[in-house]
Amino acid sequence: MRSLGILALALLFVALPAAAQTAYDWSSAGACAVMPYASGSAVSGPSLTLASSFRGTFTSRFPVTNTYGSATSDTPPWTNLSISYTDDSSSGSVTANLYEVDKCTNTQTLICSVVSSDGSGPACGHCTFGSSTFDFLNNTYYVEVKLNRTTTAATEQLHSLGIN
C-alpha cells in the first residue's frame, strides 16, 4: 500500500509540470505597458486604450522576461503569442509584434506578428513560431503593440497578451 502511495505521489509530480504548460508562461495586462510618452493613451481597468481625442498610431512596449520553469532554463519551449483586443472599426487596428534583440549586436529580429480583425467586441488573436526560438542567454525580447485609428469613433483596445 505504501508503494502505491509513493507511486501516486511521483506520478502527481510528473503530471503537474505538464498540466501547467497549458497556461501562459509569460503574460501582461494591456494597462501595464512601458510607454515612451502617454499623451495618446489611456487605461481602463486592465486595458490599454487611446485617449478620447487621439487619432493616429500609439506605440507601447512590453518587456518579456524568462519565467519558464522558474527561469531555470535559458531556452523555454514557447511557441505562441496571444493577444486579447477590441477592434470595433475598419478605421482602426491593433497590432502586436514579438521581437528578439541580440544582446551584443543590438540586432532586432521580428519573430511573429498579430493583426486584429474588425468585430463588435473583445476577440483573441495569435501567431506561432518554433519551439527553439527563445534564447535568453544571448537575446532579450519584447512585444511592441500599436493601437491605431483614423477617427475617434473607433475604440481600439489591448486587453492582455501572453506567451506560451
Side-chain angles (χ1 to χ4, degrees):
M1 188 64 145
R2 181 175 173 198
S3 296
L4 285 176
I6 292 172
L7 179 61
L9 189 58
L11 288 173
L12 177 65
F13 283 120
V14 169
L16 280 178
Q21 294 308 307
T22 60
Y24 291 121
D25 286 314
W26 175 90
S27 64
S28 180
C32 298
V34 176
M35 297 173 278
Y37 58 90
S39 63
S41 71
V43 292
S44 177
S47 302
L48 174 65
T49 187
L50 297 170
S52 60
S53 62
F54 183 84
R55 286 183 302 196
T57 301
F58 182 80
T59 302
S60 59
R61 292 175 178 84
F62 297 81
V64 176
T65 56
N66 184 8
T67 57
Y68 176 74
S70 300
T72 57
S73 171
D74 290 327
T75 55
W78 300 338
T79 59
N80 190 52
L81 168 66
S82 296
I83 67 169
S84 172
Y85 64 87
T86 295
D87 175 3
D88 66 353
S89 171
S90 60
S91 298
S93 64
V94 178
T95 303
N97 296 312
L98 173 59
Y99 287 102
E100 173 185 271
V101 180
D102 184 283
K103 287 181 180 179
C104 294
T105 67
N106 202 38
T107 302
Q108 179 174 282
T109 305
L110 177 65
I111 295 172
C112 76
S113 185
V114 180
V115 180
S116 64
S117 298
D118 299 336
S120 61
C124 291
H126 73 277
C127 61
T128 59
F129 44 88
S131 63
S132 61
T133 298
F134 279 84
D135 174 9
F136 280 97
L137 182 63
N138 297 301
N139 305 297
T140 59
Y141 301 87
Y142 72 96
V143 178
E144 178 184 72
V145 174
K146 294 184 179 191
L147 301 179
N148 176 283
R149 68 178 176 194
T150 57
T151 175
T152 57
T155 57
E156 275 40 41
Q157 299 178 34
L158 173 70
H159 305 301
S160 65
L161 46 95
I163 300 173
N164 68 338

